[in-house]
């Protein structure tokens, strides 16, 4: 060889090169395999998340669109739906001139046993303990409990909206007595009764603020404050005196109640009254009656 070139064949050096090259190729394969596993894992996790979201979506839709679920949440006096028993209602097939069912309001109802069998026990309806509500519950299909006060500026537009929507339209249940007369007005069942639960400073303020077609809880009646405690609804300045803490609703508040089941159809009556100009001839009464029909689904069986 001329000056040692080309170098003699070195088998060890050649084998070392091959080993290094092979290790690089194996490393590349391992990297590609790792990336494949990562992609597969990510895809599987993504599919699992989508499946969970679909299941949750179906559950939410069933919860809010199924009439049975609506009944389970709303047909207790406080709207909690904690008493999950079947309420058997004896519904009369007769209807009034508007097509609304004419129903009697029992003080107690019969419920199924704990296992769904017959032979349950009677149960008092939640609002039966308030004798001042008896007239409205027995003579109307829906009762609107109106918590407000003459001194409250936010009550004024709602009071005007109630007056515009329902006064002089033969839908409201009038007070039990005519002015200066002892004749009780119970000739027919009305579609709606408005019951004013006042936070006014005096009886004179309360009576001058209430509309003639409204039913009013007497100012000196203990039930005026008992109803505020029952629904945790009052003016802020009344909270300490009434020992209401926490307060669920401020004033004004309009709670819509099914007269027969005593279940709450809506606690957003004030918001409904703010849209009264766009609610049709009867204001929000039509939507309230629609909610009532949903609550009376599945023939005569209810969940409370």
């Amino acid at each position: 060889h001329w000056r040692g070139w080309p170098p003699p064949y070195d088998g060890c050096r050649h084998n070392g090169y091959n080993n290094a090259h092979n290790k690089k190729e194996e490393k590349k394969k391992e990297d590609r395999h790792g990336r494949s596993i990562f992609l597969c894992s990510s895809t599987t996790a993504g599919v699992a998340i989508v499946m969970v979201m679909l299941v949750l979506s179906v559950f939410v839709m069933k919860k809010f669109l199924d009439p049975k679920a609506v009944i389970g949440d709303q047909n207790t006096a406080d709207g909690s739906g904690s008493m999950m028993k079947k309420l058997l209602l004896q519904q009369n097939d007769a209807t009034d001139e508007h097509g609304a069912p004419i129903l009697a309001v029992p003080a107690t109802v019969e419920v199924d046993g704990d296992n769904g069998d017959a032979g349950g026990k009677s149960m008092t309806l939640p609002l039966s303990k308030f004798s001042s509500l008896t007239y409205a519950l027995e003579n109307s299909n829906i009762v609107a409990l109106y918590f407000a006060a003459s001194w409250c500026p936010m009550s004024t537009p709602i009071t005007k909206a109630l007056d515009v929507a329902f006064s002089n339209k033969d839908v409201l249940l009038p007070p039990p007595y005519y002015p200066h007369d002892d004749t009780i007005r119970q000739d027919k069942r009305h579609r709606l009764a408005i019951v004013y639960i006042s936070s006014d400073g005096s009886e004179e303020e309360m009576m001058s603020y209430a509309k003639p077609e409204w039913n009013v809880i007497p100012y000196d009646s203990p039930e005026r404050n008992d109803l505020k405690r029952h629904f945790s609804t009052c003016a802020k300045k009344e909270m300490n005196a009434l020992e209401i803490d926490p307060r669920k609703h401020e004033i004004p508040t309009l709670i819509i109640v099914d007269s027969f089941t005593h279940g709450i159809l809506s606690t957003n009556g004030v918001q409904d009254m703010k849209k009264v100009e766009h609610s049709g001839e009867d204001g929000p009464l039509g939507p309230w009656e629609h909610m009532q029909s949903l609550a009376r689904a599945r023939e005569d069986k209810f969940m409370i």
Side-chain angles (χ1 to χ4, degrees):
H1 301 284
W2 180 73
R3 294 187 179 180
W5 187 267
Y9 174 76
D10 189 347
C12 294
R13 184 179 298 177
H14 182 72
N15 290 337
Y17 170 78
N18 286 340
N19 291 337
H21 179 74
N22 292 338
K23 288 181 179 179
K24 289 182 179 178
E25 292 297 323
E26 290 177 0
K27 178 72 169 143
K28 291 181 180 179
K29 290 181 181 180
E30 290 177 358
D31 292 342
R32 287 195 295 269
H33 182 65
R35 286 195 294 270
S36 299
I37 294 176
F38 175 76
L39 291 175
C40 292
S41 301
S42 301
T43 304
T44 304
V47 172
I49 292 173
V50 171
M51 293 296 293
V52 171
M53 293 179 65
L54 287 175
V55 172
L56 290 176
S57 300
V58 172
F59 174 78
V60 171
M61 293 178 64
K62 184 177 180 181
K63 177 70 174 177
F64 288 98
L65 298 182
D66 187 0
K68 294 182 289 183
V70 173
I71 295 166
D73 283 343
Q74 296 180 343
N75 267 11
T76 57
D78 59 358
S80 63
S82 58
M83 301 173 61
M84 299 301 292
K85 289 176 179 280
K86 292 181 180 179
L87 172 63
L88 303 181
L89 303 176
Q90 302 301 321
Q91 181 168 329
N92 194 331
D93 293 332
T95 57
D96 60 17
E97 58 183 335
H98 302 286
I102 300 175
L103 303 173
V105 181
T108 60
V109 294
E110 182 182 350
V111 298
D112 289 344
D114 292 336
N115 296 324
D117 54 354
K121 58 183 179 180
S122 62
M123 183 178 63
T124 302
L125 290 175
L127 300 181
S128 299
K129 61 182 179 180
F130 300 108
S131 59
S132 55
L133 294 180
T134 300
Y135 171 76
L137 292 170
E138 288 183 348
N139 293 281
S140 64
N141 292 328
I142 293 176
V143 174
L145 302 177
Y146 184 39
F147 298 82
S150 59
W151 52 263
C152 174
M154 293 185 295
S155 299
T156 301
I158 305 305
T159 298
K160 291 181 178 178
L162 287 169
D163 191 31
V164 170
F166 301 121
S167 295
N168 303 318
K169 292 188 178 179
D170 198 33
V171 298
L172 283 183
L173 172 71
Y177 298 99
Y178 287 103
H180 312 295
D181 192 354
D182 292 336
T183 304
I184 298 179
R185 299 182 180 181
Q186 292 184 351
D187 52 341
K188 67 176 181 179
R189 191 176 191 89
H190 289 69
R191 297 169 66 189
L192 178 67
I194 296 178
V195 178
Y196 181 42
I197 303 169
S198 165
S199 291
D200 292 298
S202 66
E203 183 175 7
E204 291 74 18
E205 292 178 2
M206 179 185 75
M207 296 309 298
S208 63
Y209 189 70
K211 301 302 178 182
E213 296 86 356
W214 294 0
N215 291 267
V216 179
I217 304 298
Y219 190 82
D220 57 354
S221 171
E223 292 190 356
R224 185 172 66 92
N225 289 331
D226 290 342
L227 282 164
K228 296 176 186 178
R229 296 188 186 97
H230 182 79
F231 290 99
S232 298
T233 303
C234 66
K236 184 176 181 179
K237 65 181 183 180
E238 296 177 304
M239 291 177 62
N240 291 334
L242 298 177
E243 298 180 349
I244 297 177
D245 188 21
R247 180 181 61 163
K248 290 183 179 179
H249 308 288
E250 59 184 9
I251 64 170
T253 288
L254 192 64
I255 297 178
I256 312 304
V257 176
D258 187 326
S259 297
F260 192 71
T261 65
H262 298 192
I264 293 178
L265 299 174
S266 174
T267 58
N268 296 321
V270 166
Q271 298 300 321
D272 296 336
M273 295 310 304
K274 290 180 180 179
K275 307 172 186 176
V276 67
E277 296 180 358
H278 310 286
S279 301
E281 181 180 354
D282 293 333
L285 181 56
W288 294 342
E289 289 176 332
H290 179 66
M291 287 188 289
Q292 185 182 49
S293 66
L294 289 178
R296 297 186 180 186
R298 295 189 64 193
E299 300 178 350
D300 296 335
K301 290 188 177 181
F302 291 73
M303 301 294 293
I304 63 173

